[in-house]
C-alpha cells in the first residue's frame, strides 16, 4: 500500500512540527538520491491528496552473518575522470545512480570468507519487500534530515520568503558577457514567475540593475521591497560552466542557502532547470511536488539563438526609440537560428507593438502592427500559453479600436503569468473605461508592487490617484517616480497638478515655472500655468500664459488643458467649444473628461454628455 503523508511526518519527525512543503522537499531529495535527475517516478509514485507509494522492483539476496550494505557514495562506485570532472554533464550532490531495479545484497563471496550460498525467501515476499523499502526509505530521509535540519527545524528565513528578486548573474574570469547572466536570470524568472504562492520580480525590473551595477544585493532587495534576493556568478572556461547561487534574506541580511552547479556550456538549459528546481525546493513553495516548477520547454536549445535572445531582451527592456529596433533585430536573429523559439517571437511581437504605440519613426505604424500581429500569432501557435504574446496582441487590439478585446487578452496574460507587469499596466488603462477608477488603481498597485522602480507604474498610479481625488496618496507615488528620475518632466508636471488640487497654488506655480525655464515654449506647461494663475486670481498672467500656449499648440493637442484654462478664466462657452471640436482619440484624454475635478463645473451640462460620448466613440467605434 502507499504511505499517507501524516504517516511519514509522524514516523520520522515525531517531536517536531514540519510543513508538508518540507516533506515534498525530502521526497525530492530521495528521488534525487535514487536517480540523479530528481524528477523521475521510477521508484516513488505520488498519489495526489494521499501520499507516496514505492513502485520499483525489489529483489532479495541474503547471506548468513553478512551485513546489509547499500553504498550511496559515488566516490566508491564511480571513479572520477582524469581531468577532475565527474562524468555527468550536470553535477549536483555526489550520490550514486541506481538502476530501476534496486538490488540489496550482502558482501560478495570474493570479499569475505564468511559468505554462504544465498537462501531464497519464497514466503511472505511482499511483506519482506515492503520492509526492505521502508528501511531504505526511512534511512535515506533520516540522513537527509540530519544533514539539512540537524536540530529538526527548517533553515532560518526560508519560511518567511514570499517575494523574491532574481538578479542578473555576474560572470567572472575572462570573456565576461553580462547578457549571459541576464539570460539565466530571465529563464529562472520565467520558470518561477507563474507560481501564486510567491511573487517574483519581472525581468523588466532586474535589468535596470544590470546597467547600474552600484547597489549591493541587499540594497536592491530593499528597493524592490522583496523578502529575498537570488544572486549568482558564472565562471566559464572553454565549454565548461560553473554557476554559484546564493539566496539572501533581505530582512536578516544573511544567506539562507547556497549551491554550485557544473555543466557543459552546451547544456546550459538543463543547468537552468536544475537551479530553478533547487530554488523552488529551498523556498518551500506549497506545490504538490517541487518538480512541478514549469520547464521552459518552449525555450531553445540552440546556443546562438539563446545568446541573440538574451541580447534582445536587454534592448527590449530599455523601451526606447533607439533600442527597440535593436531588440527586434536580435529576436529575429534568434528566430533564424531556431524557428521554433516561441519567446523570441513573443518579444519581437511586443517590440513591434510598442514601436507602433509610441509612434516611433523607425517603422510606419501600420507596418509595425502587422508585424506584431504576425509574430504574436506564431508565438501562440508554438506556445498557446505565451503571456508575452497575448500582451502584444492587446496593443494590436487597441490599434484595431477594440479595448474590450485588449482587456480580455491582458487578463489572460496575467492569469498565465502573474508577474507580467506590462500586462497589468495595460489592463489598468483599459479598466479606466469603467464607471470608477477603483479597479484600475487596484491593478496599478499590483504592478507597482511587482516593480517598485518602474517609472511607468509610479507615474500612471500618480495620475489616476489624482483623477480619483486622492492627492495625498498621489503625492507618495509621484515622489517615488522623482526618486527614480528627478529630471522627469512628466512627474514634475504631475507634482504641480497635485499641489494645484490641494489648493497650494504657489507651489504649483513654482514647479511649472521650473519646467518652463527648461522648455519655455511647451504648450502643455504654458496652459497648465495659465490655469494655476487663473485659480490664484492673476487673470492677466493667466491670459499671457494662455496666449503662449495657443501660439505653440498644434491642432488637436492638449484640448483638455486649453478648455480648463478657459474655464477658470470664466469663459465657459469657449471651453465647451474646444471640447466639442476636439479630435483626440486617446484613453488619457477620455479619462480626464470623465473624472477630472477641473471639469466639475460643466460636467452636468447637457452638451458635456454628448462631448463625452463622442470621445468614447472615437476611442471605440463599437460603443453605442
Amino acid at each position: 500500500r502507499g504511505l499517507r503523508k501524516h504517516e511519514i511526518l509522524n514516523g520520522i519527525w515525531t517531536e517536531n512540527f514540519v510543513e508538508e512543503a518540507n516533506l515534498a522537499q525530502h521526497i525530492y531529495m530521495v528521488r534525487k538520491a535514487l536517480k540523479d535527475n530528481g524528477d523521475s517516478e521510477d521508484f516513488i509514485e505520488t498519489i495526489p491528496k494521499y501520499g507516496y507509494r514505492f513502485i520499483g522492483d525489489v529483489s532479495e539476496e541474503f547471506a548468513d552473518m553478512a551485513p546489509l550494505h547499500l553504498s550511496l557514495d559515488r566516490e566508491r562506485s564511480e571513479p572520477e575522470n582524469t581531468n577532475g570532472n565527474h562524468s555527468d554533464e550536470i553535477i549536483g550532490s555526489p550520490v550514486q545512480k541506481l538502476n530501476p531495479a534496486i538490488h540489496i545484497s550482502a558482501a560478495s563471496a570474493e570479499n569475505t570468507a564468511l559468505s554462504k550460498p544465498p537462501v531464497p525467501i519464497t514466503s511472505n515476499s511482499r511483506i519482506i519487500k515492503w520492509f526492505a523499502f521502508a528501511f531504505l526509505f526511512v534511512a535515506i530521509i533520516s540522513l537527509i534530515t540530519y544533514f539539512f535540519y540537524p536540530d529538526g527545524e527548517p533553515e532560518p528565513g526560508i519560511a518567511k520568503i514570499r517575494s523574491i528578486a532574481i538578479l542578473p548573474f555576474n560572470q567572472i574570469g575572462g570573456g565576461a558577457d553580462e547578457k549571459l547572466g541576464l539570460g539565466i536570470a530571465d529563464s529562472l524568472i520565467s520558470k518561477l514567475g507563474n507560481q501564486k504562492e510567491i511573487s517574483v520580480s519581472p525581468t523588466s525590473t532586474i535589468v535596470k540593475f544590470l546597467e547600474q551595477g552600484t547597489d549591493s544585493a541587499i540594497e536592491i532587495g530593499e528597493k524592490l521591497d522583496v523578502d529575498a534576493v537570488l544572486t549568482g556568478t558564472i565562471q566559464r572556461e572553454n565549454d565548461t560552466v560553473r554557476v554559484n547561487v546564493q539566496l539572501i534574506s533581505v530582512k536578516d541580511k544573511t544567506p539562507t542557502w547556497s549551491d554550485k552547479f557544473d555543466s557543459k556550456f552546451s547544456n546550459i538549459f538543463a543547468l537552468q532547470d536544475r537551479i530553478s528546481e533547487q530554488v523552488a525546493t529551498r523556498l518551500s513553495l506549497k506545490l504538490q511536488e517541487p518538480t512541478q516548477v514549469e520547464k521552459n520547454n518552449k525555450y531553445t536549445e540552440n546556443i546562438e539563438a539563446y545568446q541573440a535572445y538574451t541580447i534582445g531582451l536587454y534592448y527590449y527592456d530599455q523601451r526606447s526609440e533607439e533600442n527597440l529596433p535593436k531588440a527586434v533585430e536580435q529576436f529575429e536573429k534568434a528566430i533564424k537560428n531556431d524557428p521554433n523559439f516561441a519567446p523570441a517571437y513573443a518579444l519581437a511581437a511586443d517590440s513591434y507593438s510598442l514601436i507602433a504605440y509610441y509612434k516611433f519613426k523607425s517603422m510606419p505604424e501600420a507596418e509595425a502592427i502587422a508585424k506584431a500581429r504576425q509574430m504574436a500569432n506564431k508565438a501562440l501557435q508554438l506556445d498557446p500559453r505565451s503571456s508575452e504574446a497575448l500582451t502584444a496582441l492587446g496593443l494590436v487590439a487597441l490599434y484595431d479600436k477594440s479595448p474590450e478585446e485588449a482587456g480580455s487578452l491582458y487578463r489572460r496574460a496575467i492569469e498565465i503569468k502573474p508577474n507580467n507587469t506590462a500586462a497589468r499596466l495595460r489592463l489598468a488603462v483599459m479598466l479606466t473605461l469603467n464607471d470608477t477608477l477603483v479597479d484600475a488603481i487596484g491593478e496599478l498597485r499590483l504592478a507597482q508592487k511587482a516593480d517598485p522602480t518602474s517609472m511607468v507604474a509610479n507615474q500612471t498610479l500618480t495620475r489616476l490617484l489624482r483623477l480619483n481625488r486622492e492627492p495625498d496618496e498621489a503625492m507618495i507615488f509621484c515622489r517615488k517616480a522623482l526618486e527614480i528620475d528627478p529630471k522627469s518632466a512628466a512627474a514634475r508636471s504631475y507634482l504641480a497638478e497635485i499641489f494645484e488640487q490641494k489648493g497650494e497654488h504657489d507651489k504649483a506655480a513654482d514647479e511649472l515655472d521650473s519646467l518652463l525655464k527648461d522648455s519655455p515654449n511647451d504648450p502643455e506647461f504654458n496652459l497648465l500655468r495659465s490655469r494655476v494663475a487663473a485659480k490664484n486670481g492673476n487673470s492677466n498672467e493667466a491670459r499671457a500664459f494662455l496666449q503662449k500656449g495657443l501660439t505653440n499648440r498644434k491642432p488637436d493637442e492638449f484640448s483638455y488643458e486649453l478648455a480648463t484654462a478657459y474655464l477658470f478664466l470664466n469663459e465657459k462657452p469657449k471651453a465647451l467649444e474646444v471640447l466639442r471640436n476636439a479630435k483626440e482619440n486617446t484613453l488619457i484624454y477620455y479619462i480626464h473628461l470623465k473624472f477630472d475635478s477641473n471639469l466639475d463645473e460643466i460636467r452636468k451640462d447637457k452638451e458635456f454628455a454628448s462631448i463625452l460620448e463622442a470621445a468614447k466613440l472615437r476611442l471605440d467605434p463599437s460603443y453605442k
Side-chain angles (χ1 to χ4, degrees):
R1 69 181 182 89
L3 294 175
R4 292 181 180 273
K5 292 180 180 179
H6 75 268
E7 291 178 305
I8 301 174
L9 291 169
N10 294 336
I12 297 174
W13 294 284
T14 54
E15 297 180 358
N16 296 293
F17 173 76
V18 178
E19 292 183 347
E20 284 193 12
N22 289 329
L23 172 60
Q25 175 182 336
H26 285 84
I27 294 294
Y28 167 80
M29 296 299 292
V30 171
R31 283 180 172 149
K32 182 178 177 182
L34 294 175
K35 187 164 182 170
D36 200 18
N37 60 12
D39 59 4
S40 171
E41 288 203 350
D42 287 341
F43 300 109
I44 302 171
E45 178 186 14
T46 300
I47 306 173
K49 299 181 180 180
Y50 183 94
Y52 303 94
R53 177 169 58 200
F54 183 72
I55 58 174
D57 295 327
V58 179
S59 63
E60 303 82 29
E61 294 181 18
F62 292 91
D64 291 348
M65 307 298 293
L68 187 66
H69 174 74
L70 177 64
S71 173
L72 293 179
D73 189 346
R74 181 188 298 238
E75 309 296 332
R76 298 179 188 175
S77 59
E78 291 186 15
E80 291 185 331
N81 294 336
T82 56
N83 61 4
N85 292 326
H86 290 279
S87 57
D88 299 64
E89 277 201 329
I90 299 178
I91 303 170
S93 301
V95 293
Q96 179 184 8
K97 285 187 176 181
L98 302 178
N99 292 324
I102 297 179
H103 189 80
I104 305 176
S105 67
S108 68
E110 295 177 358
N111 297 326
T112 176
L114 298 175
S115 300
K116 295 182 179 181
V119 180
I121 304 297
T122 56
S123 62
N124 299 323
S125 60
R126 180 172 297 180
I127 296 174
I128 294 172
K129 287 180 181 180
W130 275 109
F131 176 81
F133 160 66
F135 177 84
L136 175 65
F137 184 55
V138 173
I140 293 174
I141 288 186
S142 298
L143 284 171
I144 293 169
T145 304
Y146 173 78
F147 283 114
F148 280 92
Y149 304 135
D151 298 322
E153 296 294 335
E155 294 176 65
I158 289 288
K160 304 174 187 176
I161 295 175
R162 290 296 176 267
S163 58
I164 181 174
I166 302 173
L167 302 185
F169 285 26
N170 294 319
Q171 187 165 344
I172 58 178
D177 181 3
E178 61 184 11
K179 310 299 189 304
L180 174 63
L182 175 61
I184 291 179
D186 176 64
S187 174
L188 298 180
I189 290 168
S190 296
K191 288 169 180 291
L192 299 174
N194 67 335
Q195 306 299 336
K196 294 181 180 179
E197 292 83 0
I198 190 166
S199 172
V200 183
S201 298
T203 305
S204 58
T205 301
I206 61 101
V207 76
K208 300 165 189 169
F209 299 102
L210 179 66
E211 291 182 291
Q212 297 170 4
T214 55
D215 294 324
S216 69
I218 292 174
E219 289 172 332
I220 293 172
E222 289 172 343
K223 287 184 178 180
L224 297 178
D225 193 25
V226 294
D227 297 325
V229 176
L230 183 75
T231 65
T233 61
I234 309 165
Q235 189 169 8
R236 182 178 176 185
E237 185 173 349
N238 299 323
D239 64 343
T240 302
V241 176
R242 165 161 288 186
V243 175
N244 291 278
V245 294
Q246 190 174 59
L247 187 67
I248 303 170
S249 167
V250 175
K251 181 180 179 180
D252 299 333
K253 296 180 171 55
T254 56
T256 62
W257 168 70
S258 63
D259 209 339
K260 64 183 178 181
F261 305 86
D262 290 347
S263 175
K264 299 295 184 183
F265 183 69
S266 60
N267 205 19
I268 193 75
F269 315 105
L271 178 65
Q272 292 167 355
D273 287 341
R274 172 64 66 86
I275 296 172
S276 60
E277 288 168 3
Q278 288 287 321
V279 172
T281 300
R282 304 305 290 177
L283 288 176
S284 301
L285 296 180
K286 295 181 180 179
L287 305 175
Q288 186 180 41
E289 282 294 320
T291 50
Q292 287 185 355
V293 175
E294 183 173 311
K295 295 285 199 301
N296 278 350
N297 57 350
K298 303 303 178 183
Y299 267 61
T300 185
E301 292 189 5
N302 181 291
I303 292 296
E304 288 75 18
Y306 176 75
Q307 289 179 318
Y309 173 79
T310 57
I311 295 171
L313 185 68
Y314 175 81
Y315 289 126
Y316 165 77
D317 281 310
Q318 309 305 307
R319 298 291 205 281
S320 68
E321 186 166 7
E322 176 186 1
N323 287 317
L324 278 175
K326 293 179 182 178
V328 166
E329 180 183 353
Q330 292 299 322
F331 292 139
E332 292 188 341
K333 182 179 178 181
I335 291 166
K336 185 177 180 180
N337 281 287
D338 183 355
N340 295 314
F341 192 1
Y345 284 102
L347 291 189
D350 205 44
S351 298
Y352 279 123
S353 71
L354 288 169
I355 288 171
Y357 179 78
Y358 291 120
K359 303 184 187 299
F360 289 155
K361 296 178 181 178
S362 57
M363 182 177 291
E365 190 175 345
E367 182 183 347
I369 287 294
K371 283 278 192 179
R373 196 192 315 270
Q374 175 189 352
M375 290 287 187
N377 287 331
K378 179 63 176 178
L380 289 170
Q381 180 184 338
L382 293 167
D383 179 9
R385 289 178 56 80
S386 173
S387 180
E388 289 77 12
L390 293 167
T391 304
L393 284 178
L395 280 186
V396 173
L398 271 186
Y399 180 83
D400 293 337
K401 300 188 183 300
S402 302
E404 287 189 7
E405 181 185 354
S408 177
L409 287 164
Y410 294 144
R411 286 187 181 90
R412 175 62 178 152
I414 294 166
E415 179 184 344
I416 293 170
K417 191 173 182 178
N419 75 334
N420 188 333
T421 305
R424 288 195 182 279
L425 284 168
R426 297 176 197 179
L427 175 61
V429 177
M430 295 297 94
L431 292 173
T432 58
L433 290 169
N434 297 338
D435 291 334
T436 70
L437 292 174
V438 174
D439 291 339
I441 289 172
E443 198 64 47
L444 273 171
R445 288 185 192 279
L446 292 173
Q448 194 277 338
K449 184 178 181 181
D451 188 356
T453 64
S454 168
M455 279 296 291
V456 176
N458 283 293
Q459 287 185 169
T460 308
L461 189 50
T462 295
R463 173 175 262 174
L464 293 196
L465 285 166
R466 187 191 72 79
L467 288 174
N468 204 43
R469 306 174 193 217
E470 301 176 62
D472 291 333
E473 193 167 4
M475 181 73 77
I476 294 171
F477 292 100
C478 189
R479 295 291 190 195
K480 289 181 183 293
L482 288 169
E483 286 176 11
I484 298 167
D485 182 6
K487 296 182 179 180
S488 169
R492 290 162 65 192
S493 69
Y494 296 162
L495 181 61
E497 289 187 280
I498 293 169
F499 281 135
E500 176 191 1
Q501 190 173 44
K502 290 168 65 70
E504 300 177 25
H505 299 133
D506 290 339
K507 290 183 179 179
D510 289 344
E511 198 64 47
L512 289 168
D513 287 342
S514 176
L515 284 166
L516 287 168
K517 186 177 180 180
D518 297 331
S519 305
N521 296 319
D522 187 284
E524 180 184 12
F525 299 155
N526 276 289
L527 292 173
L528 291 176
R529 185 66 177 84
S530 173
R531 189 175 74 204
V532 170
K535 286 185 177 182
N536 222 10
N538 300 322
S539 58
N540 291 335
E541 185 181 45
R543 291 188 183 280
F545 282 114
L546 174 63
Q547 187 57 46
K548 200 166 186 179
L550 282 170
T551 302
N552 294 287
R553 171 181 175 262
K554 295 178 181 178
D556 304 326
E557 277 188 349
F558 308 116
S559 297
Y560 155 77
E561 289 81 2
L562 178 58
T564 53
Y566 277 130
L567 197 58
F568 285 95
L569 281 168
N570 297 315
E571 296 188 29
K572 180 178 174 180
K574 281 191 175 182
L576 288 169
E577 181 184 358
V578 169
L579 297 177
R580 189 186 314 119
N581 296 327
K583 303 299 182 197
E584 279 100 327
N585 62 351
T586 66
L587 268 172
I588 294 300
Y589 173 73
Y590 174 76
I591 64 175
H592 273 83
L593 290 187
K594 190 170 183 180
F595 298 109
D596 191 75
S597 59
N598 288 313
L599 293 171
D600 283 353
E601 184 181 337
I602 59 173
R603 184 159 279 112
K604 294 182 181 179
D605 192 287
K606 290 182 180 179
E607 187 176 3
F608 186 82
S610 63
I611 287 170
L612 187 62
E613 184 173 357
K616 187 167 186 179
L617 188 60
R618 290 197 300 274
L619 190 65
D620 180 7
S622 67
Y623 172 70
K624 297 291 186 285

